[in-house]
Amino acid sequence: MTHAAPDTSDISLEAIHANTDTLARDVRRTPCLTLDSGVVSDMLGGGQAVLKLECFQHTGTFKARGALSVARGLDQAQLTRGITAASAGNHAIAAAWAARKVGASAKVVIQSNANPFRIALAKAQGAEVVIKAPGPDTFAEAERLMAEEGRHFIHPFEGPLTSLGTAGVGLELMQDADDLDAVIVSIGGGGLISGVAAAVKQINPACKVYGVEPMGAAGMQKSLAGGGPVTLDGVNTVADSLGAPMTLPLGHALCAAYVDEVVLLDDDMICAGMVAFQQEAKLAVEPAAGAALAAALGPLRARLSGLKTGIIVCGANIDVATYQMLITRGLPVYDALLATHG
């Protein structure tokens, strides 16, 4: 049985502007800075890397935008019953923050393999946290909370309000960085790239939009190749924020309309991207953010030579011990990149 493609017209440029204006009093307009690194510029053939620093957003990631966009759309009865979410960590933190902003309670479900640092951050935002096994069990518990407690489910990556929220990242980038030739966005379930790509392409159709996924969680690449959403048999990547087990119709449709290509990286290269951020930008980021710069310096390097490229630095919620481990893993790969280039 085939289903009609979802309507993407709700994610119009006019709607993106309106939603971004509505969120402006609570969401930070994050900095947009050209990376001052001769090493990166040289590797990009004299090109520029422009960083959109969503790692400085409330809750430490871009997730605050989509979560608040959804929360702002709830009526009083829904606010009274509260919200729930299913997450590997970052979305739960953002959903709890958004609930607090609109005066609702939050009971969020976090995967048992989530970093304890992120669980603590969700609790610090005032959420009651329920721990469940990764994948179906996490979503099933959120569904139970919807059915038994009447809580509104804030989806981690799917829905028009989520994409309108994340589209603010692309809108701000295009307003603050003139004449971008390309934009690179990491992909989990597609919530970030669906919004960013919609904004970028409607402002400048000539600007390329590249997505990047881990080899062990290549859902969007498979979706685009197959012409529809997919569910993965399993996920295996150090970039837990990019480990969505499926893609869904609206995210897929927006990516099919606006994303030029999705490239894949192995985990070692993702860790090398974290090293590049540390060495060249003095930024400590999580693997999902490292993937975007790694894609620029790896599989996309030749195509970006001499160009001005926006890179979405999507988040930095990572504890010291895990950061040290991943940086140590990525350092030889980054050194090899430099040696090969030199």
Side-chain angles (χ1 to χ4, degrees), residues 310-327:
I311 295 176
I312 308 300
V313 188
C314 58
N317 284 339
I318 188 166
D319 64 286
V320 172
T322 304
Y323 182 75
Q324 181 178 14
M325 176 185 68
L326 297 179
I327 285 289

PDB file of all heavy atoms in Angstrom, residues 310-327:
ATOM      1  N   GLY A 310      29.030  26.752   5.206  1.00  0.00           N
ATOM      2  CA  GLY A 310      28.466  26.818   6.545  1.00  0.00           C
ATOM      3  C   GLY A 310      28.458  25.446   7.188  1.00  0.00           C
ATOM      4  O   GLY A 310      28.089  24.455   6.549  1.00  0.00           O
ATOM      5  N   ILE A 311      28.874  25.381   8.428  1.00  0.00           N
ATOM      6  CA  ILE A 311      28.922  24.115   9.163  1.00  0.00           C
ATOM      7  C   ILE A 311      28.108  24.284  10.440  1.00  0.00           C
ATOM      8  O   ILE A 311      28.392  25.164  11.262  1.00  0.00           O
ATOM      9  CB  ILE A 311      30.373  23.710   9.489  1.00  0.00           C
ATOM     10  CG1 ILE A 311      31.131  23.433   8.183  1.00  0.00           C
ATOM     11  CG2 ILE A 311      30.404  22.493  10.405  1.00  0.00           C
ATOM     12  CD1 ILE A 311      32.593  23.129   8.374  1.00  0.00           C
ATOM     13  N   ILE A 312      27.073  23.457  10.594  1.00  0.00           N
ATOM     14  CA  ILE A 312      26.210  23.537  11.775  1.00  0.00           C
ATOM     15  C   ILE A 312      26.878  22.774  12.926  1.00  0.00           C
ATOM     16  O   ILE A 312      27.049  21.552  12.857  1.00  0.00           O
ATOM     17  CB  ILE A 312      24.816  22.954  11.508  1.00  0.00           C
ATOM     18  CG1 ILE A 312      24.201  23.573  10.242  1.00  0.00           C
ATOM     19  CG2 ILE A 312      23.919  23.179  12.724  1.00  0.00           C
ATOM     20  CD1 ILE A 312      24.022  25.068  10.279  1.00  0.00           C
ATOM     21  N   VAL A 313      27.270  23.496  13.962  1.00  0.00           N
ATOM     22  CA  VAL A 313      27.872  22.894  15.158  1.00  0.00           C
ATOM     23  C   VAL A 313      26.707  22.594  16.102  1.00  0.00           C
ATOM     24  O   VAL A 313      26.315  23.408  16.931  1.00  0.00           O
ATOM     25  CB  VAL A 313      28.904  23.838  15.794  1.00  0.00           C
ATOM     26  CG1 VAL A 313      29.663  23.118  16.909  1.00  0.00           C
ATOM     27  CG2 VAL A 313      29.879  24.365  14.744  1.00  0.00           C
ATOM     28  N   CYS A 314      26.167  21.385  15.974  1.00  0.00           N
ATOM     29  CA  CYS A 314      24.815  21.112  16.495  1.00  0.00           C
ATOM     30  C   CYS A 314      24.732  20.953  17.995  1.00  0.00           C
ATOM     31  O   CYS A 314      23.653  21.147  18.578  1.00  0.00           O
ATOM     32  CB  CYS A 314      24.220  19.891  15.802  1.00  0.00           C
ATOM     33  SG  CYS A 314      25.194  18.385  15.983  1.00  0.00           S
ATOM     34  N   GLY A 315      25.843  20.591  18.683  1.00  0.00           N
ATOM     35  CA  GLY A 315      25.727  20.414  20.126  1.00  0.00           C
ATOM     36  C   GLY A 315      27.038  20.068  20.799  1.00  0.00           C
ATOM     37  O   GLY A 315      28.022  19.702  20.146  1.00  0.00           O
ATOM     38  N   ALA A 316      27.022  20.182  22.125  1.00  0.00           N
ATOM     39  CA  ALA A 316      28.243  19.936  22.893  1.00  0.00           C
ATOM     40  C   ALA A 316      27.937  19.320  24.253  1.00  0.00           C
ATOM     41  O   ALA A 316      28.625  19.593  25.230  1.00  0.00           O
ATOM     42  CB  ALA A 316      29.024  21.240  23.068  1.00  0.00           C
ATOM     43  N   ASN A 317      26.913  18.475  24.330  1.00  0.00           N
ATOM     44  CA  ASN A 317      26.579  17.816  25.590  1.00  0.00           C
ATOM     45  C   ASN A 317      27.374  16.528  25.726  1.00  0.00           C
ATOM     46  O   ASN A 317      26.945  15.460  25.273  1.00  0.00           O
ATOM     47  CB  ASN A 317      25.074  17.531  25.666  1.00  0.00           C
ATOM     48  CG  ASN A 317      24.280  18.781  25.974  1.00  0.00           C
ATOM     49  OD1 ASN A 317      24.819  19.746  26.500  1.00  0.00           O
ATOM     50  ND2 ASN A 317      23.000  18.767  25.650  1.00  0.00           N
ATOM     51  N   ILE A 318      28.536  16.634  26.334  1.00  0.00           N
ATOM     52  CA  ILE A 318      29.406  15.473  26.492  1.00  0.00           C
ATOM     53  C   ILE A 318      30.208  15.636  27.777  1.00  0.00           C
ATOM     54  O   ILE A 318      30.632  16.746  28.117  1.00  0.00           O
ATOM     55  CB  ILE A 318      30.333  15.306  25.269  1.00  0.00           C
ATOM     56  CG1 ILE A 318      31.096  13.981  25.336  1.00  0.00           C
ATOM     57  CG2 ILE A 318      31.277  16.498  25.103  1.00  0.00           C
ATOM     58  CD1 ILE A 318      31.764  13.605  24.021  1.00  0.00           C
ATOM     59  N   ASP A 319      30.383  14.552  28.504  1.00  0.00           N
ATOM     60  CA  ASP A 319      31.142  14.604  29.747  1.00  0.00           C
ATOM     61  C   ASP A 319      32.638  14.484  29.464  1.00  0.00           C
ATOM     62  O   ASP A 319      33.060  14.062  28.376  1.00  0.00           O
ATOM     63  CB  ASP A 319      30.688  13.486  30.687  1.00  0.00           C
ATOM     64  CG  ASP A 319      30.992  12.113  30.112  1.00  0.00           C
ATOM     65  OD1 ASP A 319      30.282  11.693  29.167  1.00  0.00           O
ATOM     66  OD2 ASP A 319      31.946  11.476  30.575  1.00  0.00           O
ATOM     67  N   VAL A 320      33.441  14.848  30.440  1.00  0.00           N
ATOM     68  CA  VAL A 320      34.889  14.929  30.256  1.00  0.00           C
ATOM     69  C   VAL A 320      35.500  13.572  29.910  1.00  0.00           C
ATOM     70  O   VAL A 320      36.330  13.460  29.003  1.00  0.00           O
ATOM     71  CB  VAL A 320      35.551  15.511  31.523  1.00  0.00           C
ATOM     72  CG1 VAL A 320      37.077  15.416  31.420  1.00  0.00           C
ATOM     73  CG2 VAL A 320      35.136  16.954  31.732  1.00  0.00           C
ATOM     74  N   ALA A 321      35.085  12.519  30.620  1.00  0.00           N
ATOM     75  CA  ALA A 321      35.701  11.208  30.401  1.00  0.00           C
ATOM     76  C   ALA A 321      35.420  10.689  28.992  1.00  0.00           C
ATOM     77  O   ALA A 321      36.325  10.176  28.314  1.00  0.00           O
ATOM     78  CB  ALA A 321      35.192  10.207  31.442  1.00  0.00           C
ATOM     79  N   THR A 322      34.180  10.812  28.537  1.00  0.00           N
ATOM     80  CA  THR A 322      33.842  10.355  27.191  1.00  0.00           C
ATOM     81  C   THR A 322      34.546  11.207  26.147  1.00  0.00           C
ATOM     82  O   THR A 322      35.053  10.687  25.145  1.00  0.00           O
ATOM     83  CB  THR A 322      32.319  10.409  26.968  1.00  0.00           C
ATOM     84  OG1 THR A 322      31.673   9.645  27.979  1.00  0.00           O
ATOM     85  CG2 THR A 322      31.946   9.870  25.596  1.00  0.00           C
ATOM     86  N   TYR A 323      34.594  12.499  26.375  1.00  0.00           N
ATOM     87  CA  TYR A 323      35.280  13.394  25.441  1.00  0.00           C
ATOM     88  C   TYR A 323      36.749  12.997  25.295  1.00  0.00           C
ATOM     89  O   TYR A 323      37.274  12.896  24.186  1.00  0.00           O
ATOM     90  CB  TYR A 323      35.157  14.836  25.929  1.00  0.00           C
ATOM     91  CG  TYR A 323      35.793  15.844  25.003  1.00  0.00           C
ATOM     92  CD1 TYR A 323      35.173  16.193  23.803  1.00  0.00           C
ATOM     93  CD2 TYR A 323      37.003  16.445  25.320  1.00  0.00           C
ATOM     94  CE1 TYR A 323      35.756  17.116  22.948  1.00  0.00           C
ATOM     95  CE2 TYR A 323      37.590  17.370  24.477  1.00  0.00           C
ATOM     96  CZ  TYR A 323      36.962  17.701  23.286  1.00  0.00           C
ATOM     97  OH  TYR A 323      37.548  18.611  22.437  1.00  0.00           O
ATOM     98  N   GLN A 324      37.404  12.767  26.417  1.00  0.00           N
ATOM     99  CA  GLN A 324      38.820  12.385  26.375  1.00  0.00           C
ATOM    100  C   GLN A 324      39.018  11.085  25.602  1.00  0.00           C
ATOM    101  O   GLN A 324      39.946  10.966  24.780  1.00  0.00           O
ATOM    102  CB  GLN A 324      39.363  12.235  27.798  1.00  0.00           C
ATOM    103  CG  GLN A 324      40.844  11.868  27.849  1.00  0.00           C
ATOM    104  CD  GLN A 324      41.356  11.769  29.272  1.00  0.00           C
ATOM    105  OE1 GLN A 324      40.579  11.720  30.229  1.00  0.00           O
ATOM    106  NE2 GLN A 324      42.666  11.749  29.436  1.00  0.00           N
ATOM    107  N   MET A 325      38.147  10.120  25.824  1.00  0.00           N
ATOM    108  CA  MET A 325      38.258   8.837  25.139  1.00  0.00           C
ATOM    109  C   MET A 325      38.102   9.001  23.626  1.00  0.00           C
ATOM    110  O   MET A 325      38.896   8.441  22.840  1.00  0.00           O
ATOM    111  CB  MET A 325      37.189   7.875  25.661  1.00  0.00           C
ATOM    112  CG  MET A 325      37.157   6.522  24.950  1.00  0.00           C
ATOM    113  SD  MET A 325      35.783   5.486  25.522  1.00  0.00           S
ATOM    114  CE  MET A 325      34.370   6.390  24.882  1.00  0.00           C
ATOM    115  N   LEU A 326      37.115   9.788  23.199  1.00  0.00           N
ATOM    116  CA  LEU A 326      36.858   9.934  21.770  1.00  0.00           C
ATOM    117  C   LEU A 326      37.918  10.793  21.085  1.00  0.00           C
ATOM    118  O   LEU A 326      38.287  10.534  19.933  1.00  0.00           O
ATOM    119  CB  LEU A 326      35.455  10.509  21.551  1.00  0.00           C
ATOM    120  CG  LEU A 326      34.305   9.629  22.040  1.00  0.00           C
ATOM    121  CD1 LEU A 326      32.966  10.315  21.800  1.00  0.00           C
ATOM    122  CD2 LEU A 326      34.334   8.262  21.370  1.00  0.00           C
ATOM    123  N   ILE A 327      38.396  11.808  21.770  1.00  0.00           N
ATOM    124  CA  ILE A 327      39.478  12.618  21.213  1.00  0.00           C
ATOM    125  C   ILE A 327      40.736  11.775  21.029  1.00  0.00           C
ATOM    126  O   ILE A 327      41.438  11.871  20.012  1.00  0.00           O
ATOM    127  CB  ILE A 327      39.767  13.820  22.150  1.00  0.00           C
ATOM    128  CG1 ILE A 327      38.676  14.873  21.998  1.00  0.00           C
ATOM    129  CG2 ILE A 327      41.121  14.431  21.846  1.00  0.00           C
ATOM    130  CD1 ILE A 327      38.694  15.615  20.692  1.00  0.00           C
TER     131      ILE A 327
END
